[in-house]
Amino acid sequence: MTAFDPELAEALTGLPSGPPLDAGSLAEIRRAMTEGNLSCAEAIGDRDLVWEDHEIPGTDVVVTVVKPRDAEDAPGFYNIHGGGMVLDDRFADLPRIVTLVEEFGFVAVTVDYRLAPEHPHPAPIEDCYAGLTWMVEHASELGFDPGRLIVGGGSAGGGLSAGIALLARDRGGPALAGQLLLCPMIDSRNDSASTVEFAERGVWGRAANEFGWRSLLNGQTSPYAVPATATDLAGLPPAFIEVGAAEIFRDEDVDYARRLWQAGVPTELHVWAGAYHGFDRIAPDSEVTRAALAARASWLRRVIGRA
């Protein structure tokens, strides 16, 4: 059985326990997660960054823009939060977003999409696509170069980012420079070897995963919702895929990288030994997290520099 990295295993012991994720506990877990998220003011602190909220006309979508005060011709980053398709909000990734804006000068947009099960597919992916197209349409006033736009997110946000890349290709929408897929949730079959091995280990298990997918799909199927089922991956933007070797998404993410390579898509894959789902948030000072952040930064520099 694959062991957790010792540093990461120690960090797990300090996590508070909560109820299993299901229909009965969903409201309670949602409330706890959103209450724990930082505000923009808290995440930014004394950095010389600005933020603003926007409602996307004709939709229920709200986005928050975080950018350098005098952004001009900057790279763009479109962030999609995680939460198993059923949890969290656009503020969940603010610490990561603020770091990216400060380090790379990104104009970043983070989107609130409607959550399942109240709003099953296609509501989440369509909300994310509406926010992306709004961002590109307002590139000049936001101060970024639409030719250097990356979409990204973790977990469900990584899965939705992969779906957005497919949707933008097929609709002739925004031309993305890259897709940053962090432990992406991309295969609803929930039956890989890693899914079985880590069914009840770590922070996101097989039962929670099944609940998230069932809530999203509600008996439907679509490659935009479940990117692992897409039959044609050609013509997608360069991809960065990161996943832990000790989490349920390991095998589906490795397989997706393999299929992207076969389709001719420039793809970088990192599988971190001993790492579980969300390790970078739970153990931000660990050696594994430092290595993962350095790898992400290297890829981002290469992509936005050549886009």
Side-chain angles (χ1 to χ4, degrees):
M1 181 176 288
T2 305
F4 292 146
D5 174 270
E7 267 191 301
L8 302 185
E10 183 177 357
L12 266 185
T13 63
L15 288 183
S17 59
L21 177 62
D22 55 30
S25 64
L26 182 58
E28 176 188 349
I29 296 174
R30 279 178 175 171
R31 186 163 49 249
M33 291 186 74
T34 56
E35 287 176 354
N37 289 337
L38 298 178
S39 67
C40 285
E42 291 169 332
I44 290 173
D46 60 0
R47 299 173 178 87
D48 192 24
L49 307 178
V50 295
W51 73 92
E52 55 192 10
D53 296 331
H54 293 270
E55 296 181 3
I56 308 303
T59 75
D60 296 318
V61 180
V62 177
V63 299
T64 294
V65 180
V66 181
K67 64 177 185 174
R69 185 173 302 277
D70 300 314
E72 183 177 355
D73 199 33
F77 189 86
Y78 185 69
N79 182 81
I80 305 176
H81 72 80
M85 308 293 180
V86 297
L87 299 168
D88 237 329
D89 61 24
R90 69 187 187 278
F91 303 113
D93 295 327
L94 279 177
R96 178 192 297 151
I97 292 167
V98 167
T99 298
L100 290 174
V101 173
E102 187 174 41
E103 182 173 355
F104 297 98
F106 280 119
V107 168
V109 170
T110 181
V111 60
D112 250 343
Y113 54 89
R114 288 171 291 172
L115 300 174
E118 297 90 338
H119 304 283
H121 177 77
I125 194 77
E126 291 292 353
D127 288 354
C128 292
Y129 190 74
L132 178 70
T133 55
W134 176 89
M135 182 181 182
V136 171
E137 289 167 358
H138 293 80
S140 180
E141 62 193 78
L142 293 175
F144 79 95
D145 173 8
R148 294 194 293 157
L149 174 59
I150 292 171
V151 63
S155 195
L160 288 164
S161 295
I164 284 293
L166 288 161
L167 198 59
R169 179 200 64 182
D170 294 348
R171 290 184 177 175
L176 298 168
Q179 46 182 325
L180 182 73
L181 311 180
L182 307 177
C183 52
M185 177 181 176
I186 56 173
D187 194 342
S188 62
R189 287 168 288 197
N190 203 28
D191 62 359
S192 69
S194 59
T195 300
V196 174
E197 181 179 359
F198 297 99
E200 297 181 357
R201 299 175 62 205
V203 297
W204 184 254
R206 193 179 190 184
N209 200 46
E210 192 277 334
F211 174 74
W213 279 118
R214 176 164 38 88
S215 298
L216 176 71
L217 296 177
N218 193 27
Q220 307 172 79
T221 186
S222 164
Y224 306 123
V226 191
T229 64
T231 57
D232 179 12
L233 301 181
L236 291 173
F240 178 98
I241 299 177
E242 168 188 300
V243 68
E247 66 162 295
I248 66 171
F249 295 145
R250 180 194 66 204
D251 293 349
E252 65 195 64
D253 292 353
V254 170
D255 188 60
Y256 196 64
R258 177 188 59 80
R259 293 182 58 225
L260 286 169
W261 288 322
Q262 290 176 342
V265 178
T267 301
E268 186 163 319
L269 171 67
H270 294 268
V271 182
W272 297 105
Y276 45 71
H277 193 69
F279 68 92
D280 56 325
R281 292 187 176 195
I282 295 168
D285 298 321
S286 68
E287 186 62 34
V288 179
T289 296
R290 284 193 288 271
L293 294 178
R296 294 179 202 171
S298 173
W299 181 81
L300 287 167
R301 283 192 297 268
R302 284 175 278 140
V303 170
I304 63 177
R306 68 175 179 233

